[in-house]
Amino acid sequence: MNGRVVCVPTDEGRAELNPDLVKEIAPTGALRVSINLGNPVLASRADIHGEPRGVSVDLARALAGRLGVALETVVFDSAGKSVDAIAKGEADVGFFALDPARAAQLRFAPPYVLIQGAYMVREASPLRSIDDVDQAGLRVVVGAGSAYDLFLTRELKHASVERAPTSPTVVDEFLRTNADVAAGVRQQLEADGLRFPGLRMLPGDFMTIQQAIGVPAGRSDAVVAVVHEFVEDMKADGFVARSLKRNGIVGARVAPPVA
């Protein structure tokens, strides 16, 4: 799934950035932003033909406005594809979970939102806590290339990690393959729990995900500084909190300030 939408936002009242720096950030003259629909906390569509919306889309529009360039969104259905777009030079900026496994492809600004990774099991499952999951013979389904995939691949020592094509299909794959645990963003799992009877969430969270803006690894320190300042301004101004509320996102928190 991918598509492109172009618009020209503005950022009133700010001094213009150095044109050479803007050119480094957006070398085609438009800010090409990779949007991942695989995480509903960040972005979604009202329907299959709708425009993408969400906090990452709002931030993308605001960043293009600050740079004084057009916005071009490149939309994908998974985090892995979204990261690949940056690595291949098909996008200039993206919205991703901070993870050391992505350091070769991306440089990150400070996080703007914190979300939780959670587990879902069947009602009849003997598993009662997140500490019960890492057992030999247990199968945990995650979205391929997601932050949960990267984290659990490192952290689970006994249970096996299996991968659904995207994060929104994790529960479907979990049920189809008769796996033991579905892992992903809490809001997505809770929504899937309304679709399928006989499922329950394990209490607590196995990880807190720091969602951040990433740029290609080859971008300069000056580029990262521009994005860093932008993110901190958007948090301090209340922009991120207002966007989460406007988009109906419950359970995600604005990340604390970073000097």
Short mmCIF file of all heavy atoms in Angstrom, two decimals, residues 169-219:
data_model
loop_
_atom_site.label_atom_id
_atom_site.label_comp_id
_atom_site.label_asym_id
_atom_site.label_seq_id
_atom_site.Cartn_x
_atom_site.Cartn_y
_atom_site.Cartn_z
N THR A 169 -2.33 -6.81 11.00
CA THR A 169 -2.75 -8.19 10.72
C THR A 169 -2.23 -9.18 11.76
O THR A 169 -2.38 -10.40 11.58
CB THR A 169 -2.28 -8.63 9.32
OG1 THR A 169 -0.84 -8.58 9.26
CG2 THR A 169 -2.87 -7.73 8.24
N VAL A 170 -1.64 -8.69 12.85
CA VAL A 170 -1.05 -9.58 13.85
C VAL A 170 -2.09 -10.52 14.45
O VAL A 170 -1.87 -11.74 14.56
CB VAL A 170 -0.34 -8.76 14.95
CG1 VAL A 170 -0.10 -9.62 16.20
CG2 VAL A 170 0.99 -8.24 14.45
N VAL A 171 -3.22 -9.98 14.89
CA VAL A 171 -4.21 -10.82 15.55
C VAL A 171 -4.81 -11.83 14.56
O VAL A 171 -5.05 -12.99 14.92
CB VAL A 171 -5.30 -9.96 16.22
CG1 VAL A 171 -6.43 -10.84 16.77
CG2 VAL A 171 -4.68 -9.15 17.36
N ASP A 172 -5.03 -11.42 13.34
CA ASP A 172 -5.52 -12.36 12.32
C ASP A 172 -4.54 -13.52 12.15
O ASP A 172 -4.94 -14.69 12.07
CB ASP A 172 -5.72 -11.65 10.99
CG ASP A 172 -6.72 -10.53 11.07
OD1 ASP A 172 -6.33 -9.42 11.48
OD2 ASP A 172 -7.90 -10.74 10.75
N GLU A 173 -3.24 -13.20 12.08
CA GLU A 173 -2.22 -14.24 11.92
C GLU A 173 -2.12 -15.11 13.18
O GLU A 173 -1.95 -16.34 13.09
CB GLU A 173 -0.88 -13.58 11.61
CG GLU A 173 0.24 -14.54 11.25
CD GLU A 173 0.08 -15.15 9.86
OE1 GLU A 173 -0.86 -14.76 9.13
OE2 GLU A 173 0.90 -16.01 9.51
N PHE A 174 -2.20 -14.49 14.32
CA PHE A 174 -2.18 -15.19 15.61
C PHE A 174 -3.30 -16.23 15.67
O PHE A 174 -3.09 -17.39 16.07
CB PHE A 174 -2.32 -14.14 16.71
CG PHE A 174 -2.86 -14.61 18.03
CD1 PHE A 174 -2.07 -15.35 18.90
CD2 PHE A 174 -4.15 -14.27 18.43
CE1 PHE A 174 -2.56 -15.74 20.14
CE2 PHE A 174 -4.64 -14.67 19.66
CZ PHE A 174 -3.85 -15.41 20.52
N LEU A 175 -4.48 -15.86 15.23
CA LEU A 175 -5.61 -16.79 15.24
C LEU A 175 -5.48 -17.85 14.14
O LEU A 175 -5.75 -19.04 14.36
CB LEU A 175 -6.92 -16.02 15.07
CG LEU A 175 -7.30 -15.10 16.24
CD1 LEU A 175 -8.49 -14.24 15.88
CD2 LEU A 175 -7.58 -15.92 17.50
N ARG A 176 -5.04 -17.41 12.96
CA ARG A 176 -4.93 -18.33 11.83
C ARG A 176 -3.93 -19.45 12.09
O ARG A 176 -4.15 -20.61 11.71
CB ARG A 176 -4.53 -17.56 10.57
CG ARG A 176 -4.53 -18.41 9.29
CD ARG A 176 -3.97 -17.64 8.11
NE ARG A 176 -2.54 -17.40 8.21
CZ ARG A 176 -1.61 -18.32 7.91
NH1 ARG A 176 -1.97 -19.53 7.51
NH2 ARG A 176 -0.33 -18.02 8.03
N THR A 177 -2.82 -19.11 12.74
CA THR A 177 -1.75 -20.07 12.96
C THR A 177 -1.81 -20.75 14.32
O THR A 177 -0.94 -21.54 14.66
CB THR A 177 -0.37 -19.39 12.80
OG1 THR A 177 -0.24 -18.38 13.81
CG2 THR A 177 -0.23 -18.76 11.43
N ASN A 178 -2.83 -20.38 15.11
CA ASN A 178 -2.99 -20.94 16.46
C ASN A 178 -1.74 -20.69 17.32
O ASN A 178 -1.30 -21.57 18.08
CB ASN A 178 -3.29 -22.44 16.40
CG ASN A 178 -3.88 -22.97 17.69
OD1 ASN A 178 -4.60 -22.26 18.39
ND2 ASN A 178 -3.56 -24.22 18.04
N ALA A 179 -1.19 -19.50 17.20
CA ALA A 179 -0.04 -19.12 18.03
C ALA A 179 -0.50 -18.85 19.46
O ALA A 179 -1.70 -18.86 19.76
CB ALA A 179 0.64 -17.89 17.44
N ASP A 180 0.46 -18.59 20.34
CA ASP A 180 0.15 -18.44 21.77
C ASP A 180 -0.08 -16.99 22.20
O ASP A 180 -0.87 -16.73 23.11
CB ASP A 180 1.29 -19.03 22.61
CG ASP A 180 1.53 -20.49 22.30
OD1 ASP A 180 0.70 -21.32 22.70
OD2 ASP A 180 2.54 -20.79 21.62
N VAL A 181 0.62 -16.06 21.55
CA VAL A 181 0.59 -14.66 21.98
C VAL A 181 0.61 -13.76 20.77
O VAL A 181 1.33 -14.02 19.79
CB VAL A 181 1.81 -14.32 22.88
CG1 VAL A 181 1.77 -12.87 23.34
CG2 VAL A 181 1.88 -15.27 24.08
N ALA A 182 -0.18 -12.69 20.81
CA ALA A 182 -0.10 -11.61 19.82
C ALA A 182 0.53 -10.41 20.51
O ALA A 182 0.15 -10.05 21.63
CB ALA A 182 -1.48 -11.25 19.30
N ALA A 183 1.50 -9.78 19.85
CA ALA A 183 2.21 -8.65 20.44
C ALA A 183 2.12 -7.44 19.52
O ALA A 183 2.23 -7.57 18.30
CB ALA A 183 3.69 -9.02 20.67
N GLY A 184 1.93 -6.27 20.12
CA GLY A 184 1.86 -5.06 19.31
C GLY A 184 1.46 -3.85 20.13
O GLY A 184 1.46 -3.89 21.36
N VAL A 185 1.11 -2.78 19.43
CA VAL A 185 0.68 -1.56 20.11
C VAL A 185 -0.65 -1.83 20.81
O VAL A 185 -1.54 -2.49 20.27
CB VAL A 185 0.57 -0.40 19.11
CG1 VAL A 185 -0.44 -0.68 18.02
CG2 VAL A 185 0.23 0.90 19.83
N ARG A 186 -0.76 -1.38 22.03
CA ARG A 186 -1.93 -1.70 22.86
C ARG A 186 -3.23 -1.31 22.18
O ARG A 186 -4.20 -2.08 22.18
CB ARG A 186 -1.80 -0.99 24.22
CG ARG A 186 -3.02 -1.15 25.11
CD ARG A 186 -2.79 -0.60 26.49
NE ARG A 186 -1.81 -1.42 27.21
CZ ARG A 186 -2.11 -2.55 27.83
NH1 ARG A 186 -3.35 -3.02 27.82
NH2 ARG A 186 -1.18 -3.24 28.47
N GLN A 187 -3.29 -0.12 21.59
CA GLN A 187 -4.54 0.35 21.00
C GLN A 187 -5.01 -0.55 19.86
O GLN A 187 -6.20 -0.80 19.70
CB GLN A 187 -4.39 1.79 20.51
CG GLN A 187 -4.30 2.83 21.62
CD GLN A 187 -2.88 3.04 22.12
OE1 GLN A 187 -1.98 2.21 21.92
NE2 GLN A 187 -2.63 4.17 22.77
N GLN A 188 -4.07 -1.02 19.05
CA GLN A 188 -4.43 -1.93 17.95
C GLN A 188 -4.97 -3.25 18.48
O GLN A 188 -5.99 -3.77 17.99
CB GLN A 188 -3.22 -2.18 17.05
CG GLN A 188 -3.48 -3.14 15.90
CD GLN A 188 -4.34 -2.54 14.82
OE1 GLN A 188 -3.96 -1.54 14.22
NE2 GLN A 188 -5.50 -3.11 14.56
N LEU A 189 -4.31 -3.81 19.48
CA LEU A 189 -4.76 -5.08 20.05
C LEU A 189 -6.13 -4.93 20.70
O LEU A 189 -7.00 -5.81 20.58
CB LEU A 189 -3.74 -5.60 21.06
CG LEU A 189 -2.37 -5.98 20.50
CD1 LEU A 189 -1.45 -6.41 21.63
CD2 LEU A 189 -2.48 -7.08 19.45
N GLU A 190 -6.34 -3.83 21.41
CA GLU A 190 -7.64 -3.62 22.05
C GLU A 190 -8.75 -3.50 21.01
O GLU A 190 -9.86 -4.01 21.20
CB GLU A 190 -7.59 -2.39 22.93
CG GLU A 190 -6.74 -2.59 24.19
CD GLU A 190 -6.56 -1.33 25.00
OE1 GLU A 190 -6.75 -0.21 24.45
OE2 GLU A 190 -6.21 -1.44 26.18
N ALA A 191 -8.46 -2.82 19.90
CA ALA A 191 -9.45 -2.72 18.82
C ALA A 191 -9.73 -4.09 18.22
O ALA A 191 -10.89 -4.43 17.92
CB ALA A 191 -8.94 -1.76 17.75
N ASP A 192 -8.70 -4.91 18.05
CA ASP A 192 -8.91 -6.25 17.51
C ASP A 192 -9.69 -7.13 18.48
O ASP A 192 -10.43 -8.02 18.06
CB ASP A 192 -7.56 -6.90 17.19
CG ASP A 192 -6.90 -6.29 15.97
OD1 ASP A 192 -7.63 -5.77 15.11
OD2 ASP A 192 -5.66 -6.32 15.88
N GLY A 193 -9.52 -6.88 19.78
CA GLY A 193 -10.27 -7.63 20.77
C GLY A 193 -11.78 -7.42 20.65
O GLY A 193 -12.56 -8.28 21.06
N LEU A 194 -12.18 -6.28 20.08
CA LEU A 194 -13.60 -6.03 19.85
C LEU A 194 -14.10 -6.79 18.62
O LEU A 194 -15.30 -7.06 18.49
CB LEU A 194 -13.84 -4.52 19.65
CG LEU A 194 -13.46 -3.63 20.84
CD1 LEU A 194 -13.66 -2.17 20.47
CD2 LEU A 194 -14.26 -4.00 22.08
N ARG A 195 -13.19 -7.14 17.73
CA ARG A 195 -13.57 -7.87 16.51
C ARG A 195 -13.69 -9.36 16.77
O ARG A 195 -14.48 -10.05 16.11
CB ARG A 195 -12.52 -7.65 15.41
CG ARG A 195 -12.44 -6.26 14.85
CD ARG A 195 -11.65 -6.26 13.53
NE ARG A 195 -10.26 -6.64 13.67
CZ ARG A 195 -9.64 -7.53 12.90
NH1 ARG A 195 -10.29 -8.15 11.92
NH2 ARG A 195 -8.35 -7.81 13.08
N PHE A 196 -12.87 -9.86 17.68
CA PHE A 196 -12.79 -11.31 17.90
C PHE A 196 -13.13 -11.62 19.36
O PHE A 196 -12.40 -11.18 20.26
CB PHE A 196 -11.39 -11.84 17.58
CG PHE A 196 -10.95 -11.60 16.17
CD1 PHE A 196 -9.99 -10.64 15.87
CD2 PHE A 196 -11.49 -12.33 15.12
CE1 PHE A 196 -9.57 -10.42 14.57
CE2 PHE A 196 -11.08 -12.12 13.82
CZ PHE A 196 -10.12 -11.16 13.54
N PRO A 197 -14.18 -12.38 19.63
CA PRO A 197 -14.49 -12.77 21.01
C PRO A 197 -13.49 -13.78 21.53
O PRO A 197 -12.79 -14.45 20.77
CB PRO A 197 -15.89 -13.38 20.89
CG PRO A 197 -15.96 -13.90 19.49
CD PRO A 197 -15.16 -12.93 18.66
N GLY A 198 -13.40 -13.87 22.86
CA GLY A 198 -12.58 -14.90 23.47
C GLY A 198 -11.11 -14.55 23.60
O GLY A 198 -10.28 -15.44 23.80
N LEU A 199 -10.78 -13.25 23.51
CA LEU A 199 -9.40 -12.81 23.67
C LEU A 199 -9.30 -11.88 24.88
O LEU A 199 -10.26 -11.23 25.26
CB LEU A 199 -8.91 -12.09 22.41
CG LEU A 199 -8.98 -12.86 21.10
CD1 LEU A 199 -8.53 -11.98 19.94
CD2 LEU A 199 -8.15 -14.14 21.17
N ARG A 200 -8.09 -11.78 25.44
CA ARG A 200 -7.87 -10.86 26.56
C ARG A 200 -6.45 -10.31 26.52
O ARG A 200 -5.54 -10.95 25.97
CB ARG A 200 -8.13 -11.54 27.90
CG ARG A 200 -7.24 -12.75 28.18
CD ARG A 200 -7.57 -13.39 29.53
NE ARG A 200 -6.91 -14.69 29.67
CZ ARG A 200 -5.66 -14.85 30.11
NH1 ARG A 200 -4.93 -13.80 30.47
NH2 ARG A 200 -5.14 -16.07 30.20
N MET A 201 -6.28 -9.15 27.10
CA MET A 201 -4.96 -8.53 27.21
C MET A 201 -4.27 -9.04 28.47
O MET A 201 -4.92 -9.20 29.52
CB MET A 201 -5.09 -7.01 27.29
CG MET A 201 -5.81 -6.37 26.12
SD MET A 201 -4.90 -6.48 24.56
CE MET A 201 -3.44 -5.49 24.94
N LEU A 202 -2.97 -9.27 28.39
CA LEU A 202 -2.20 -9.49 29.61
C LEU A 202 -1.97 -8.14 30.28
O LEU A 202 -1.73 -7.13 29.60
CB LEU A 202 -0.87 -10.16 29.30
CG LEU A 202 -0.91 -11.61 28.80
CD1 LEU A 202 0.50 -12.14 28.61
CD2 LEU A 202 -1.70 -12.50 29.75
N PRO A 203 -2.03 -8.06 31.59
CA PRO A 203 -1.83 -6.78 32.27
C PRO A 203 -0.40 -6.26 32.10
O PRO A 203 0.55 -7.03 32.03
CB PRO A 203 -2.13 -7.10 33.74
CG PRO A 203 -1.92 -8.58 33.86
CD PRO A 203 -2.31 -9.16 32.54
N GLY A 204 -0.30 -4.94 32.02
CA GLY A 204 1.01 -4.32 31.91
C GLY A 204 1.49 -4.22 30.47
O GLY A 204 0.80 -4.60 29.53
N ASP A 205 2.70 -3.72 30.32
CA ASP A 205 3.30 -3.48 29.00
C ASP A 205 4.68 -4.10 28.98
O ASP A 205 5.43 -4.01 29.95
CB ASP A 205 3.42 -1.98 28.73
CG ASP A 205 2.11 -1.25 28.97
OD1 ASP A 205 1.10 -1.66 28.40
OD2 ASP A 205 2.12 -0.28 29.76
N PHE A 206 5.03 -4.74 27.86
CA PHE A 206 6.36 -5.33 27.78
C PHE A 206 7.41 -4.33 27.31
O PHE A 206 8.61 -4.57 27.44
CB PHE A 206 6.37 -6.58 26.89
CG PHE A 206 6.10 -6.34 25.43
CD1 PHE A 206 7.11 -5.92 24.59
CD2 PHE A 206 4.83 -6.57 24.91
CE1 PHE A 206 6.87 -5.72 23.23
CE2 PHE A 206 4.59 -6.38 23.56
CZ PHE A 206 5.60 -5.94 22.72
N MET A 207 6.97 -3.19 26.78
CA MET A 207 7.93 -2.15 26.39
C MET A 207 7.20 -0.83 26.25
O MET A 207 5.99 -0.79 26.01
CB MET A 207 8.63 -2.49 25.07
CG MET A 207 7.73 -2.45 23.85
SD MET A 207 8.55 -2.87 22.27
CE MET A 207 9.78 -1.59 22.12
N THR A 208 7.94 0.27 26.42
CA THR A 208 7.46 1.61 26.08
C THR A 208 8.20 2.04 24.83
O THR A 208 9.43 2.02 24.79
CB THR A 208 7.71 2.61 27.21
OG1 THR A 208 6.93 2.23 28.35
CG2 THR A 208 7.32 4.02 26.80
N ILE A 209 7.44 2.40 23.81
CA ILE A 209 8.02 2.76 22.52
C ILE A 209 8.13 4.27 22.42
O ILE A 209 7.15 4.98 22.63
CB ILE A 209 7.18 2.22 21.36
CG1 ILE A 209 7.01 0.71 21.47
CG2 ILE A 209 7.80 2.58 20.02
CD1 ILE A 209 5.68 0.29 22.04
N GLN A 210 9.33 4.74 22.10
CA GLN A 210 9.55 6.16 21.88
C GLN A 210 9.41 6.44 20.38
O GLN A 210 10.25 6.02 19.59
CB GLN A 210 10.94 6.57 22.36
CG GLN A 210 11.19 6.32 23.83
CD GLN A 210 12.58 6.75 24.22
OE1 GLN A 210 12.83 7.92 24.48
NE2 GLN A 210 13.50 5.82 24.26
N GLN A 211 8.35 7.12 20.01
CA GLN A 211 8.12 7.45 18.61
C GLN A 211 8.84 8.75 18.28
O GLN A 211 8.69 9.75 18.98
CB GLN A 211 6.63 7.58 18.33
CG GLN A 211 5.87 6.27 18.45
CD GLN A 211 6.23 5.28 17.35
OE1 GLN A 211 6.73 5.66 16.29
NE2 GLN A 211 5.98 4.01 17.59
N ALA A 212 9.61 8.74 17.20
CA ALA A 212 10.44 9.89 16.86
C ALA A 212 10.46 10.12 15.35
O ALA A 212 10.07 9.25 14.57
CB ALA A 212 11.87 9.66 17.36
N ILE A 213 10.91 11.30 14.97
CA ILE A 213 11.12 11.60 13.56
C ILE A 213 12.52 11.16 13.17
O ILE A 213 13.50 11.47 13.86
CB ILE A 213 10.95 13.11 13.28
CG1 ILE A 213 9.51 13.53 13.58
CG2 ILE A 213 11.32 13.44 11.84
CD1 ILE A 213 9.25 15.02 13.37
N GLY A 214 12.61 10.42 12.08
CA GLY A 214 13.90 9.96 11.58
C GLY A 214 14.22 10.55 10.22
O GLY A 214 13.32 10.79 9.41
N VAL A 215 15.49 10.80 9.99
CA VAL A 215 15.98 11.27 8.69
C VAL A 215 17.04 10.30 8.22
O VAL A 215 17.55 9.50 9.00
CB VAL A 215 16.56 12.71 8.79
CG1 VAL A 215 15.49 13.68 9.24
CG2 VAL A 215 17.76 12.75 9.73
N PRO A 216 17.40 10.32 6.93
CA PRO A 216 18.42 9.38 6.45
C PRO A 216 19.72 9.50 7.23
O PRO A 216 20.12 10.59 7.67
CB PRO A 216 18.61 9.80 4.99
CG PRO A 216 17.30 10.42 4.61
CD PRO A 216 16.83 11.14 5.84
N ALA A 217 20.40 8.38 7.38
CA ALA A 217 21.62 8.34 8.19
C ALA A 217 22.69 9.30 7.69
O ALA A 217 23.51 9.78 8.48
CB ALA A 217 22.17 6.92 8.21
N GLY A 218 22.69 9.62 6.40
CA GLY A 218 23.72 10.50 5.86
C GLY A 218 23.49 11.99 6.07
O GLY A 218 24.35 12.80 5.73
N ARG A 219 22.34 12.37 6.64
CA ARG A 219 22.06 13.79 6.85
C ARG A 219 22.99 14.35 7.92
O ARG A 219 23.40 13.67 8.86
CB ARG A 219 20.60 14.00 7.24
CG ARG A 219 19.61 13.65 6.15
CD ARG A 219 19.67 14.64 4.97
NE ARG A 219 18.52 14.49 4.09
CZ ARG A 219 18.48 13.75 3.00
NH1 ARG A 219 19.57 13.06 2.65
NH2 ARG A 219 17.39 13.69 2.26
#
